[in-house]
Amino acid sequence: MTADLTTDVLVVGAGPAGSMTAKWAAKHGAKVLMIEKRQEIGSPVRCGEGMSKAWLSDVGITPGRWINLEVEGARIYSPSEKVFEINEKHAGNEVGYVVERDEFDKQLAIDAANAGVDVVLKTAATSVLKENGRVVGVKAKRFGEPFEIRATVTIAADGFESQVGRWAGISTNIAMRDMDTCLQYRMTNVDCDVRYCDFFLGKVAPGGYVWVFPKGEGLANVGIGVQVSQVKAMADARNYLDRWIEHHPGYAKGKKIDMVGGGVSISAPLKQTVGDGIMLVGDAARMIDPLTGGGIANGCIAGKICGEVAAEAVHAGTPTKEFFQKYEVGWRAVLEEKLYRNWLAKEKLVQLSDETFDKVIDALQGVRLEKLSVHNILKAVNEKYPEVTKEFEAFL
Amino acid sequence: MPSKKHLHIESSGQLCIYCGACVGICPLNCIYLDETRITFDEKVCTRCEVCVKACPVGAIEIG
């Protein structure tokens, strides 16, 4: 028998959002337990490993050996492979560092542990405990043994496939058009440029893109996301990616040494991410940027707020939905507008023809944008192809 | 009541890569990922086929 446990704050899932939440709750004086169903934090990696860097210091993450390499910027390829180059500072939340994601997740868990968080591996939540409608912990299994964890505040940081939030009665359902199905190979002996993260748009990846994130010495993560609503046949993600590689000699000659897959939400923000006794954070709360598919920065930024509010609720003895509005309002103030705007942009982009993509990228050739924004891009496109920008009037 | 179609999740590892894409999109929350095992609740599943499309490697079949 595994003994039942009691804690102030229970964090389910030791990814970046979970570790950040746990760390900041502990730093604010709460007793925190973080459970992880896997036997190793951060592994297997399910990520393209691209990350922006401006936000890291804001949430207390210091550079470490998890940095694989630094890139100068992003290159966006149109279907006819015209290229638009963007400096790293303007390129959105997947460009800046290429990271060793398993090392990154471990570092954040170490930071949490050093702040006083107890970490328990090989432990999966199997349902939530509820009393008078309030979540008061979870039923869990550790090494296959069932036991209970009682907590004043429960945090669902259990990733894209989150079930804790749904068990608690918070709707996290997403439509097929709001999810990309993703597959990625780590390839060696490929001709990629270590100065750039590359993105290939259009019919090569309907409703998503093909990415190439360099890992140095001819190694790269070569992956694809395809909008689920645009999938026509079984294994389309793999088929599209294989086809893309086949048509690019610099990659076709490479060798695959690793394969990962996963789901990425590309949805508008959830209406609600808190309930009595519970808060959702990171991919579980559908905080992924719907335009880039990047989720780490948003998960960590929200995680810090979530941890602080969790600790406050413990001290005040008020783990209520009303009290957790502080988190709801807090993360939305920082992230919601951009998430919503990028979701609208995504909704529009997925409808564009290859021809239009080509025109947009072509119009940007040689243009130096002061600040990269949808508005500025459209202004540049408007000068050369006014008919294209008509489709985007809402953004001008 | 008409009998349901057969849904098969190939989760022995020949196709499945345990990525959880099907788990996350299942509108009825009836697919479970337990490290290297995926199961679904036969009774709850309505054969909506969303998971079939979400699977990046074609490990879920219906018919």
Side-chain angles (χ1 to χ4, degrees):
Chain A
M1 270 296 283
T2 303
D4 292 347
L5 297 171
T6 302
T7 186
D8 291 340
V9 179
L10 168 67
V11 178
V12 181
S19 282
M20 284 301 285
T21 304
K23 177 176 102 172
W24 286 97
K27 273 168 118 52
H28 284 79
K31 182 183 174 200
V32 186
L33 174 67
M34 177 163 70
I35 63 172
E36 168 57 47
K37 70 178 177 186
R38 295 167 168 181
Q39 61 202 347
E40 182 183 345
I41 289 169
S43 178
V45 171
R46 284 199 331 230
C47 181
E49 301 188 303
M51 194 196 287
S52 60
K53 51 190 179 186
W55 58 278
L56 288 160
S57 57
D58 296 341
V59 294
I61 301 174
T62 48
R65 63 177 176 186
W66 48 268
I67 297 170
N68 185 171
L69 52 83
E70 259 184 279
V71 293
E72 290 172 21
R75 291 186 300 195
I76 315 288
Y77 289 77
S78 76
S80 67
E81 306 221 340
K82 289 190 168 73
V83 188
F84 173 51
E85 209 179 296
I86 311 169
N87 180 282
E88 155 270 314
K89 285 188 185 63
H90 303 315
N93 63 8
E94 285 217 298
V95 178
Y97 289 135
V98 177
V99 305
E100 302 291 355
R101 179 60 198 277
D102 47 345
E103 289 287 343
F104 180 76
D105 285 19
K106 284 187 181 78
Q107 186 58 58
L108 265 52
I110 290 167
D111 291 350
N114 289 345
V117 173
D118 285 327
V119 184
V120 183
L121 302 175
K122 210 74 176 165
T123 302
T126 55
S127 62
V128 297
L129 296 170
K130 271 191 171 183
E131 270 171 18
N132 304 321
R134 172 180 300 180
V135 175
V136 292
V138 301
K139 283 190 175 174
K141 266 188 180 174
R142 185 179 183 200
F143 294 116
E145 292 259 351
F147 72 114
E148 287 184 4
I149 305 171
R150 298 189 75 84
T152 310
V153 183
T154 300
I155 308 293
D158 49 338
F160 172 75
E161 66 267 36
S162 172
Q163 295 190 307
V164 174
R166 296 202 261 186
W167 290 331
I170 297 170
S171 171
T172 60
N173 283 358
I174 42 173
M176 286 199 287
R177 68 171 216 267
D178 282 331
M179 172 184 164
D180 267 21
T181 170
C182 302
L183 193 72
Q184 170 182 278
Y185 301 121
R186 185 168 292 183
M187 299 184 74
T188 186
N189 192 32
V190 296
D191 295 337
C192 65
D193 190 328
V194 292
R195 294 173 300 170
Y196 300 99
C197 284
D198 288 339
F199 300 82
F200 296 81
L201 304 178
K203 283 206 179 63
V204 292
Y209 57 80
V210 168
W211 66 83
V212 176
F213 295 169
K215 303 278 293 174
E217 298 178 355
L219 200 62
N221 288 337
V222 183
I224 192 169
V226 177
Q227 196 178 19
V228 174
S229 55
Q230 304 211 29
V231 164
K232 299 279 189 295
M234 279 170 66
D236 254 5
R238 192 181 68 211
N239 295 334
Y240 276 107
L241 181 58
D242 287 346
R243 207 171 307 145
W244 184 89
I245 291 170
E246 210 175 286
H247 288 117
H248 290 78
Y251 295 91
K253 72 185 177 70
K255 295 187 172 80
K256 298 162 190 161
I257 57 162
D258 189 3
M259 176 167 86
V260 293
V264 170
S265 64
I266 48 170
S267 61
L270 288 184
K271 287 195 172 63
Q272 193 190 323
T273 59
V274 301
D276 281 323
I278 186 164
M279 293 187 271
L280 276 58
V281 68
D283 290 8
R286 312 292 184 222
M287 287 173 177
I288 293 175
D289 185 317
L291 201 54
T292 65
I296 301 168
N298 291 353
C300 288
I301 290 164
K304 180 169 185 278
I305 302 167
C306 189
E308 289 165 351
V309 173
E312 265 183 67
V314 167
H315 298 316
T318 52
T320 61
K321 188 175 165 185
E322 289 68 40
F323 190 88
F324 293 152
Q325 289 305 312
K326 199 165 178 182
Y327 165 64
E328 189 86 89
V329 170
W331 78 256
R332 285 180 198 277
V334 188
L335 301 174
E336 184 169 48
E337 192 195 331
K338 191 176 176 201
L339 283 174
Y340 193 71
R341 193 159 25 94
N342 284 357
W343 177 72
L344 285 176
K346 181 257 335 189
E347 290 282 285
K348 199 75 211 176
L349 281 176
V350 297
Q351 295 171 22
L352 293 189
S353 64
D354 278 5
E355 196 192 0
T356 308
F357 266 127
D358 278 326
K359 282 182 178 169
V360 170
I361 301 295
D362 180 57
L364 293 169
Q365 302 292 303
V367 176
R368 290 195 74 83
L369 297 174
E370 283 292 309
K371 187 173 171 293
L372 193 80
S373 66
V374 173
H375 181 82
N376 282 350
I377 288 177
L378 290 176
K379 256 172 55 185
V381 174
N382 196 42
E383 286 181 12
K384 199 162 178 184
Y385 300 107
E387 77 279 8
V388 170
T389 49
K390 278 206 181 67
E391 293 190 47
F392 291 92
E393 268 167 353
F395 295 93
L396 274 167
Chain B
M1 206 172 88
S3 67
K4 286 179 177 176
K5 287 187 205 167
H6 180 68
L7 176 82
H8 177 65
I9 303 182
E10 192 299 304
S11 69
S12 71
Q14 289 185 48
L15 291 169
C16 180
I17 52 175
Y18 313 111
C19 73
C22 55
V23 179
I25 197 152
C26 175
L28 292 159
N29 205 18
C30 79
I31 308 179
Y32 312 98
L33 170 61
D34 184 3
E35 285 294 293
T36 55
R37 207 165 61 102
I38 294 207
T39 52
F40 74 100
D41 191 324
E42 177 76 36
K43 288 194 218 73
V44 178
C45 173
T46 62
R47 311 301 193 263
C48 73
E49 306 192 22
V50 167
C51 57
V52 178
K53 291 192 164 192
C55 178
V57 293
I60 308 180
E61 240 180 319
I62 206 154

